[in-house]
Amino acid sequence: EVQLQQSGAELGKPGTSVKLSCKVSGYNIRNTYMHWVNQRPGKGLEWIGRIDPANGNTIYAEKFKSKATLTADTSSNTAYMQLSQLKSDDTAIYFCAMWAFAYWGQGTLVTVSS
Amino acid sequence: DVVMTQTPPSLSVAIGQSVSISCKSSQSLVYSDGKTYLHWLLQSPGRSPKRLIYQVSNLGSGVPDRFSGTGSQKDFTLKISRVEAEDLGVYYCAQTTHFPLTFGSGTKLEIK
């Protein structure tokens, strides 16, 4: 059974960074793309970007190019997303997903507050 | 960016009724391989999204056949036959043909 287990909730101060993780079990992430999606409070889904864990190649939505950095560690079958220069409107739930959205993590709530 | 326009924004239906949700894209979603990468997701309250339909009309694993998807090019429809209580939530269409990937704004299904 494929499962995506995301790291716990984060509270970050404005201007700082946080790094989220998404550990996959039941499937080798080398064989898929890992996507990250956010959902601001009460809002819809927004694609951030994807990484090919086999070679580290990334594609980002334009608005996240200077905000998010996607990495992956194939030895631990884990994908990561670092969010930098946090602002209040980065407060959201962040999901990892794979296989064209067939599988999703449970989401990580990031709250940005001083 | 491909804009995905979903209608209606909300629906209220009785158990056993059938409903349809429309999703129109600003560009054709046919990829160079001839396939159309349009998917339907359901986000139940407090849960992660779940993929119901992939590539327009293929039922996801474990998804009941009350759900069906149709359409082509830029015009797509999700139909739910015989709505059940567990179907409540927000439905999204999503395209993975073009970068950046984009989602519809969602259709909230409520049970009367």
Side-chain angles (χ1 to χ4, degrees), chain A residues 35 37 39 43-47 50 59-61 95 99-102 104-107, chain B residues 39 41 43 47-51 54 61 92 94-96 99-105:
Chain A
H35 298 267
V37 173
Q39 186 168 41
K43 301 298 183 183
L45 304 171
E46 183 176 32
W47 184 76
R50 79 153 200 219
I59 301 176
Y60 296 92
F95 296 100
W99 260 30
F101 306 137
W104 293 71
Q106 82 276 25
Chain B
H39 320 289
L41 313 172
Q43 188 173 29
R47 304 294 300 273
S48 302
K50 173 186 175 180
R51 194 179 72 177
Y54 64 97
S61 176
Y92 295 97
Q95 67 83 20
T96 58
F99 289 109
L101 308 190
T102 48
F103 298 89
S105 53

Side-chain angles (χ1 to χ4, degrees), chain A residues 3 9 23 31-33 38 63 74-75 84-85 97 102-103 105-106 111-112:
Chain A
Q3 291 189 328
K23 184 171 177 58
N31 299 323
T32 188
Y33 299 114
N38 79 355
K63 68 179 287 188
T74 54
S75 66
S84 61
Q85 292 297 314
Y103 298 101
Q106 82 276 25
T111 304
V112 181

Side-chain angles (χ1 to χ4, degrees), chain B residues 2-7 20-30 35-40 53 55-57 68-79 93-95 97:
Chain B
V2 178
V3 176
M4 307 293 285
T5 301
Q6 247 185 274
T7 54
S20 292
I21 300 170
S22 169
C23 177
K24 296 183 190 297
S25 59
S26 60
Q27 300 176 34
S28 171
L29 299 185
V30 181
K35 296 180 181 179
T36 301
Y37 294 96
L38 182 282
H39 320 289
W40 289 96
I53 301 277
Q55 292 176 38
V56 180
S57 59
S68 61
T70 58
S72 63
Q73 299 287 333
K74 298 166 56 176
D75 195 350
F76 305 93
T77 301
L78 173 71
K79 182 177 181 180
C93 56
Q95 67 83 20
T97 298

Side-chain angles (χ1 to χ4, degrees), chain A residues 2-34:
Chain A
V2 177
Q3 291 189 328
L4 283 65
Q5 183 64 39
Q6 295 188 236
S7 48
E10 298 271 3
L11 175 60
K13 294 187 186 306
T16 65
S17 298
V18 293
K19 189 171 185 177
L20 314 183
S21 67
C22 173
K23 184 171 177 58
V24 178
S25 58
Y27 194 80
N28 190 333
I29 65 170
R30 283 182 166 272
N31 299 323
T32 188
Y33 299 114
M34 296 298 299

Side-chain angles (χ1 to χ4, degrees), chain A residues 23-97:
Chain A
K23 184 171 177 58
V24 178
S25 58
Y27 194 80
N28 190 333
I29 65 170
R30 283 182 166 272
N31 299 323
T32 188
Y33 299 114
M34 296 298 299
H35 298 267
W36 290 85
V37 173
N38 79 355
Q39 186 168 41
R40 291 184 170 87
K43 301 298 183 183
L45 304 171
E46 183 176 32
W47 184 76
I48 296 170
R50 79 153 200 219
I51 183 167
D52 182 348
N55 55 28
N57 288 346
T58 52
I59 301 176
Y60 296 92
E62 188 66 34
K63 68 179 287 188
F64 290 101
K65 282 184 176 178
S66 57
K67 170 64 63 178
T69 302
L70 305 185
T71 56
D73 178 0
T74 54
S75 66
S76 63
N77 226 37
T78 302
Y80 299 93
M81 178 173 67
Q82 178 163 312
L83 299 171
S84 61
Q85 292 297 314
L86 291 174
K87 300 185 293 188
S88 59
D89 69 354
D90 293 322
T91 294
I93 298 174
Y94 291 84
F95 296 100
C96 58

